[in-house]
Amino acid sequence: LFSVYPNPARNKTIRLQLNNVSSSSYRVTICNTKGQILQDRVIQGYDLFNSYMLHLNSISYNGLCTIIIRKNDTNQILQSTNILVE
């Protein structure tokens, strides 16, 4: 459903690639290992391929993070993955 690169994330920037998603909105949440929300945003999905640049400049945390993708209207978790923020 989605992929995140580069991993590890350097320069506080990652690209989020959503594949074959419906045209609805999605909530992207980035948490640290303690479950604290570091960033939370809503993105709009469009048919087929969607690529978003996520800037993590506001995150002062370096280490392992979890990215969680949810459907915004139902809050259903679609997928989660771990990334290393350097």
Side-chain angles (χ1 to χ4, degrees):
L1 181 64
F2 79 95
S3 56
V4 177
Y5 56 93
N7 191 1
R10 294 186 176 93
N11 300 320
K12 302 283 187 176
T13 302
I14 58 173
R15 183 169 298 277
L16 176 66
Q17 179 76 41
L18 296 165
N19 298 314
N20 298 320
V21 296
S22 63
S23 47
S24 60
S25 60
Y26 298 88
R27 179 167 297 278
V28 179
T29 305
I30 302 173
C31 301
N32 64 17
T33 55
K34 295 180 181 179
Q36 297 168 320
I37 295 174
L38 304 174
Q39 193 172 103
D40 190 47
R41 68 172 58 189
V42 174
I43 58 174
Q44 184 64 41
Y46 300 98
D47 293 332
L48 297 179
F49 300 103
N50 303 280
S51 183
Y52 299 92
M53 193 69 95
L54 298 178
H55 300 283
L56 310 176
N57 297 335
S58 62
I59 297 175
S60 59
Y61 176 82
N62 286 342
L64 190 64
C65 293
T66 301
I67 298 179
I68 303 165
I69 304 289
R70 294 180 174 93
K71 285 196 76 160
N72 195 39
D73 56 350
T74 64
N75 212 26
Q76 172 191 7
I77 295 176
L78 300 175
Q79 193 170 343
S80 65
T81 192
N82 292 325
I83 62 163
L84 182 62
V85 177
E86 294 182 336

